[in-house]
């Protein structure tokens, strides 16, 4: 039986921590400040993302993985913004790839952490209810949990061609079976460690931690995501994020 099969999973009772890899440059938002440090409502996106994780009473530690040469700057940045007193945080330098950075974040976790969230710094507005749902599902025994939404658009599989050139359609997947995944993704710690060790050894990098678990035969389950947990990747996303934040402030004084 696979060590990550659902029948061998047990409810997690240790502490929960969140790892936020924030070492990337965010090239699709253009040159300049790293994406995670871009301002949203006057506050860096990274701070919003840290606060989103700390908003869950189950999260007792947030590990921020900074650019390799930028850990002091990121620590000073977080020191200057209010976080809940119940939540600790630590900043560690990252690696050359996202996978390396997440692994460095995992390595910084205390031994009593049994549930690990991995969250994109570029998803600054994920609601706390989504965070809690992921944690609860891992604690109930799921080895890997992903928040996701049904797709609004029909998706086509194509034969990739030159940029801008027509591309032949190969198939049209059944939309009802497809989901757009978000973060935080939640994991039993042993499952996530095993996936990073084995996938790294195989030299088969991944941009999605749940996908690494899948490659090893582990079970990944999906819980409902939220429309406000979108990824801020393009300039238009930043406009939408500003609008969401302004609506929150108007509605509840956020």
């Amino acid at each position: 039986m696979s060590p990550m099969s659902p029948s061998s999973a047990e409810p997690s009772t240790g502490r929960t921590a969140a790892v936020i890899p924030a070492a990337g440059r965010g090239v699709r938002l253009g040159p300049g400040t790293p994406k995670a440090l871009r301002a949203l409502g006057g506050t860096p996106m990274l701070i919003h993302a840290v606060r989103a994780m700390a908003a869950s009473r189950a999260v007792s530690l947030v590990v921020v993985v900074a650019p390799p040469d930028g850990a002091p700057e990121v620590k000073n940045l977080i020191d200057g913004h209010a976080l809940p007193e119940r939540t600790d945080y630590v900043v560690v330098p990252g690696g050359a790839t996202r996978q390396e950075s997440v692994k460095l974040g995992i390595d910084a976790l205390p031994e009593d952490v049994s549930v690990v969230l991995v969250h994109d710094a570029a998803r600054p507005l994920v609601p706390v209810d989504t965070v809690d749902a992921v944690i609860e599902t891992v604690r109930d025994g799921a080895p890997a949990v992903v928040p996701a939404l049904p797709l609004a658009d029909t998706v086509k599989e194509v034969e990739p061609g030159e940029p801008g050139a027509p591309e032949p359609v190969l198939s049209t997947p059944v939309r009802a079976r497809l989901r757009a995944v978000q973060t935080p993704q939640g994991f039993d710690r042993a499952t996530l460690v095993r996936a990073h060790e084995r996938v790294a050894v195989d030299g088969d990098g991944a941009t999605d931690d749940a996908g690494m678990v899948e490659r090893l035969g582990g079970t990944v389950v999906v819980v409902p995501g939220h429309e406000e947990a979108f990824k801020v990747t393009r300039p238009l996303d930043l406009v939408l994020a500003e609008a969401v934040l302004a609506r929150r402030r108007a509605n509840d004084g956020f």
Side-chain angles (χ1 to χ4, degrees), residues 213-247:
V213 173
E214 290 175 50
R215 290 178 203 182
L216 297 182
T219 298
V220 179
V221 300
V222 167
V223 297
H226 196 280
E227 62 181 4
E228 293 181 3
F230 62 91
K231 191 172 187 178
V232 179
T233 301
R234 302 158 300 177
L236 185 60
D237 301 325
L238 199 56
V239 174
L240 178 58
E242 292 278 5
V244 170
L245 190 59
R247 184 181 66 184

Side-chain angles (χ1 to χ4, degrees), residues 67-160:
D69 58 351
E73 176 189 2
V74 170
K75 186 178 186 308
N76 288 339
L77 183 71
I78 298 175
D79 283 342
H81 292 80
L83 297 174
E85 290 186 3
R86 67 176 182 273
T87 308
D88 294 328
Y89 77 91
V90 64
V91 178
V92 298
T97 66
R98 182 188 184 280
Q99 183 179 347
E100 290 177 17
S101 293
V102 173
K103 178 65 165 57
L104 289 167
I106 297 169
D107 290 344
L109 297 174
E111 290 185 2
D112 63 345
V113 170
S114 63
V115 177
V116 183
L117 303 179
V118 181
H119 183 58
D120 292 335
R123 296 183 189 272
L125 300 178
V126 57
V128 67
D129 287 352
T130 303
V131 180
D132 286 339
V134 171
I135 296 169
E136 182 178 352
T137 307
V138 177
R139 286 183 169 177
D140 285 345
V145 180
V146 178
L149 292 177
L151 296 184
D153 300 317
T154 296
V155 174
K156 302 285 186 183
E157 181 185 5
V158 302
E159 181 66 47

Side-chain angles (χ1 to χ4, degrees), residues 157-170:
E157 181 185 5
V158 302
E159 181 66 47
E162 295 295 325
E167 298 172 323
V169 171
L170 301 178

